[in-house]
Structure formats: C-alpha cells, structure tokens
Amino acid sequence: MTLSAAGESTASKANRPVIAIIGGGVSGAATAFHLAQADRGPALEIIVFEPRDGLGRGLAYDTAEPAHRINVPAARMSLLTDEPDHFLRWIDAHSATAGDADALRPDGNLFPRRNVFGNYINAMLQPFIADGAVRHRRAAVAHLLRDGRRWCLVDEDGGETLADIVIIATSHPPPVAPDGLQALLKGHPRFVPDPTKAGALDAVRSSDRVLVIGNGLTSADVIASLALKGHTGAITAISRRGLRSRGHAPFPQDPTGDFLTDPAFTARALLKNVRNTIREAMATGLTWHGVIDQVRAQGQAIWQILPIAERRRIVRHLRPYWDVHRFRVAPQVEAALDEAIAEGRLEILAGSIADASVENETVRCALRLRRYRETVERTYDAVVVTTGPGHGGILASQPFLAELAESGYLELDPTGLGLACTRNSEAIGHAVGVTPSLLIAGPLARGTFGELMGLPQVTEHAAFVASVVAERLQATVPEPAENPR
C-alpha cells in the first residue's frame, strides 16, 4: 500500500468525502477554514477552486490601491466568530500596517488598507494547505455537472474533479452600465466599466473631467483613489437618488433598539419602527448609527419574519437608503470626499443619463436631474461605472451557473438579490427543487438570509454552512461493526 506525503494511504484518501468550494474569496476561504478545523465527522478532502494566487482576497480584498481601506475598524473584523479582535491581534503580531501612518485614526481605531485583510485570511488558510487538509486549485470552474450521486467539476484547464458536496461561494457580477452607454463607450480609451480591476483608473488623466455613475462605496473608493493619484479635474457623481455613503459615528455607541420583540410584518411598519427608534436615540444625544447597527445585528431574523412581497418592497424602495447607512466609508475616504466637495472638484447629483454621444473622445451627456424638468448638458473626458453588483445577471455571469439554471438546479431568489436557497443554504431550482449536496455560501444567499454583505455576517454564515456540511456527513457515516466474539 502506498502512502501520501502526509503519511496517509492513497486508499484511505480515496474514501474521504470530497467537498468542492467554488470561489476562494472571503466566503469560500472562511467556509474551507471552518470545515478544516471542525473536529467531528469523517476526514474530508476540501478543494477550493480559485484562480487567484491566494485564498481569502477575492474581489473585495485583492487590491493594491492604497486608498482602498476596510470600512469598519479592524477590531470588528475577524475570521473567528468568537474572537472579534483576532484580525487586530494578527496585525499587531505581524506589523501589518508598518509604513501606513494614516491607518491609525485619532480616536484609536485602525482602518488598514483592504489588502491587509486579504493577506490575513490567506495566512489563516496556509497551515491547512500545508498539511493537505485544504487544496487550492488555481483555476475557475467552467462546468458543473451531475454525475450519478456526485458532482463533476470541469475547470477551465480541462481538469475534472468528482465531489460529494459542492458549495458555491462566488461573488456578484461586476457593475453594469446604464442601457446604451456600454455599447456607446465600448472601446473608448477612458471608459472604465469595472473600476475594481487592477490598474483600471490608470486610463484617467490628472485633469480629466470625470463622470462617476453611482454613489456607493465603490464610487467613494474611486474618488479617493483619483485624489491620491493627483487628479485635479472636476468629478460628477450621479445616481438616481444622489445618496452618498455615510461615515462612522462621531463617538462610540452600542447597538440601540429592539426590532424583534414586537416585529414588523411590512416594509412600511419596519421603516416606521426604525425612524421612531432613531428619533428616540437622538433625543438622548445619540446618533442614528447605533440604531442601524442594531437593525444589522437583528437583520437576518427581521428579514425572515417578513413575507416575500414585503422583502421585495424593501429591495425596490428602501435598499439604496439602507446601503448608504449600513455600508459606511472609512474615515480616510470620507475625508477625501469632503475635501473634494469643499474645493469644488466634486458634485453629487440625483438623476440619470438621458442621452449621451461621443465627439473626438469627448463624452457629451444630457443629465436628467430629479425634480428638474429640463435636462442639463455636461461634457466629460472619462466615465467610470460604480453602480454596484449586477444582481440581475447572476445566472448569466458564469457558464456553470447558467448551465445549472438551465438544467433546473438553480434559480434567482424571489427578491432578485441572489440565488434561491433554503434556510440550510441548500440550492433550490425550478425543476429539481432542493438539492442537499449543492449549497450557497456568502452574499449570493442574502435573498434568504437577509443581512449577508458585512464581514461579520459573511464569516458567521460560512461557519454555519460548514456546520451544515459537517453534520450531514456525520449522519451518513455508518456505525462501526462490532468485533466478533
């Protein structure tokens, strides 16, 4: 009998359940981490499909832009759900913010660059990779096919992997430009349809007049990055409501309010409860921040109480307001936006693009502003799209997702926020129904679970998915035979 490098027989290894995780960002890496450290159930073979050279970085944390920072204090970010300050201690132990004098804020909170957190997650996975508990397959999955009772993953290199359970932990599709603008500006040297790609903003010249479509966190990152690169041109940031991402509380506050003892069953009632609680908090000298933090903390329970029709109303009418209060900009980024506004370099508009044309690489736009009957003509040298995830294109974003949808294993959640799944995170398809061996981890499960975009909720959900898998495998392990007498 031959032995592997870790001393395990190949026959024994062949009998291990195989868990394949598609996507090695925070969701996939955290799920692999919690599966690997689980001390119950049979030994597993965990394979993470991720083209990047490290695990845990994903789209959010695989950035070299110095202006890109985590948007919550490091003391509240951790891979370990029971040690919220673990990342902060890791930073201290590894001097991970050395040379970044702006990371530490006057109030003592630490906001390191985003790639530091990606490095932290990757470092946490390395011991499991070194001992073979987790395998990092540096390839994207092209096809995912049912093969009897198992799954066959065909990667972009043509390799095939059989797995007993598959966990989809991919991210949302990139931003989508407004209808017609993508085709009009395709090939334009200073059209940036996806600013999250490395070097995407290099095309923008220092004096360019820039139109930023969108006003969320990505928009704030773009404006801060341009400022750090020495950009001095005028910037217009436009979105339907003109809502700018808010900053952090001016002083520490605990979560405030209770939205579960007497829960709301409609979007209108929930909004009324939140507004009333904010008024009560402000009457005692607090701000809205603690109230929104409590809504976030109770978010999954609040969401699951609401009927589907009310969830849809929240997505359609209230999500933009929730996003700008829930996802706050780092103080360094907020300062960059405030400075740009004060200097007259940045204007934030509520409206949409009514028409556009290109003349000698100059983009002429007719902007339809809210509450104005006439359009406003503006001219730009560069256009950057920061409209946020393209939720509607999830199933078409990757071939294997499209194939699973066509074969009936996947469908969009009724809210349109992600993929349909059960409260055990099992995929639901229009033809097949529930598939216990196909699970959804991370933000793509937010239609069912609600609050699943912030780091604490992502890591908690990863631990939950890992526990579902471990318990399921434990239940399928046969009892050992008794020794004959």
Side-chain angles (χ1 to χ4, degrees):
M1 182 179 293
T2 58
L3 295 178
S4 66
E8 182 182 16
S9 72
T10 53
S12 173
K13 184 175 181 179
N15 291 327
R16 294 191 298 176
V18 177
I19 312 300
I21 301 173
I22 305 176
V26 172
S27 298
T31 304
F33 175 87
H34 288 290
L35 273 172
Q37 72 166 6
D39 58 359
R40 62 186 183 277
L44 306 176
E45 184 174 1
I46 304 167
I47 306 171
V48 183
F49 288 80
E50 170 55 56
R52 293 177 174 86
D53 60 1
L55 296 179
R57 297 189 175 100
L59 183 63
Y61 303 103
D62 186 22
T63 171
E65 285 285 349
H68 291 178
R69 295 184 177 274
I70 62 173
N71 64 323
V72 296
R76 288 162 45 194
M77 296 184 71
S78 175
L79 182 58
L80 308 180
T81 55
D82 56 347
E83 297 182 45
D85 65 341
H86 188 265
F87 175 45
L88 188 64
R89 291 189 279 115
W90 181 89
I91 290 173
D92 184 59
H94 295 83
S95 302
T97 56
D100 182 12
D102 201 31
L104 185 64
R105 307 306 299 163
D107 62 2
N109 282 317
L110 194 69
F111 287 84
R113 291 168 178 150
R114 287 217 298 265
N115 60 1
V116 174
F117 187 75
N119 293 340
Y120 156 72
I121 298 289
N122 185 55
M124 293 290 286
L125 266 294
Q126 288 310 306
F128 295 111
I129 291 175
D131 68 14
V134 175
R135 285 174 49 200
H136 177 191
R137 178 77 175 91
R138 287 194 59 188
V141 171
H143 307 283
L144 179 57
L145 310 169
R146 198 67 168 145
D147 187 354
R149 299 183 63 180
R150 306 183 82 191
W151 294 94
C152 178
L153 297 93
V154 182
D155 60 54
E156 60 187 352
D157 298 327
E160 296 186 359
T161 302
L162 288 177
D164 299 281
I165 293 176
V166 173
I167 301 169
I168 298 174
T170 52
S171 61
H172 286 96
V176 178
D179 291 343
L181 200 62
Q182 184 85 26
L184 176 69
L185 297 180
K186 184 178 181 180
H188 190 285
R190 283 171 294 284
F191 175 51
V192 184
D194 185 1
T196 63
K197 292 184 177 179
L201 295 179
D202 293 347
V204 180
R205 301 168 299 194
S206 62
S207 61
D208 279 346
R209 298 159 295 182
V210 181
L211 173 64
V212 179
I213 305 172
N215 263 324
L217 287 180
T218 305
S219 171
D221 281 342
V222 164
I223 295 166
S225 295
L226 289 174
L228 205 59
K229 293 174 181 291
H231 180 263
T232 58
I235 301 175
T236 299
I238 189 169
S239 62
R240 287 181 59 192
R241 295 171 178 83
L243 299 173
R244 171 186 163 183
S245 291
R246 307 308 201 258
H248 289 267
F251 53 88
Q253 301 175 44
D254 292 327
T256 302
D258 177 12
F259 302 94
L260 292 179
T261 301
D262 185 17
F265 295 96
T266 67
R268 186 184 296 274
L270 177 61
L271 179 61
K272 181 179 179 180
N273 290 349
V274 172
R275 284 175 168 170
N276 288 340
T277 307
I278 289 175
R279 278 193 287 268
E280 293 169 2
M282 296 182 73
T284 65
L286 299 175
T287 66
W288 54 264
H289 297 77
V291 178
I292 297 300
D293 288 343
Q294 183 72 317
V295 177
R296 174 186 57 79
Q298 298 180 341
Q300 292 193 13
I302 293 171
W303 186 255
Q304 292 177 5
I305 288 171
L306 291 167
I308 293 295
E310 297 303 318
R311 297 182 193 180
R312 285 174 170 161
R313 288 191 177 94
I314 289 176
V315 172
R316 186 166 60 250
H317 300 295
L318 299 180
R319 185 164 66 91
Y321 299 94
W322 167 253
D323 285 351
V324 297
H325 289 85
R326 163 67 182 90
F327 302 109
R328 300 160 200 169
V329 293
Q332 301 93 326
V333 176
E334 184 180 25
L337 267 64
D338 289 342
E339 182 178 350
I341 292 172
E343 294 177 351
R345 294 185 291 107
L346 171 64
E347 63 174 349
I348 296 176
L349 302 178
S352 59
I353 301 171
D355 193 19
S357 61
V358 178
E359 298 178 18
N360 298 323
E361 296 185 354
T362 296
V363 183
R364 300 185 182 277
C365 293
L367 306 180
R368 181 179 291 113
L369 304 184
R370 291 186 74 182
R371 301 185 178 90
Y372 286 86
R373 299 181 65 179
E374 302 293 329
T375 59
V376 176
E377 302 292 329
R378 294 289 174 84
T379 301
Y380 300 100
D381 305 296
V383 177
V384 184
V385 180
T386 66
T387 51
H391 292 98
I394 291 172
L395 293 174
S397 63
Q398 300 189 57
F400 82 91
L401 293 177
E403 291 172 349
L404 287 174
E406 186 176 352
S407 57
Y409 285 98
L410 289 181
E411 63 184 2
L412 287 179
D413 178 85
T415 65
L417 290 177
L419 299 175
C421 62
T422 68
R423 292 192 182 184
N424 276 334
S425 248
E426 304 153 317
I428 300 174
H430 61 86
V432 179
V434 177
T435 304
S437 62
L438 183 64
L439 291 94
I440 315 298
L444 287 185
R446 67 188 294 213
T448 295
F449 291 91
E451 178 57 34
L452 252 182
M453 294 294 284
L455 193 280
Q457 288 72 42
V458 168
T459 53
E460 288 170 6
H461 188 247
F464 168 73
V465 171
S467 70
V468 169
V469 172
E471 290 170 7
R472 184 159 298 159
L473 292 174
Q474 176 71 17
T476 61
V477 175
E479 292 294 327
E482 294 184 4
N483 292 327
R485 296 178 181 266

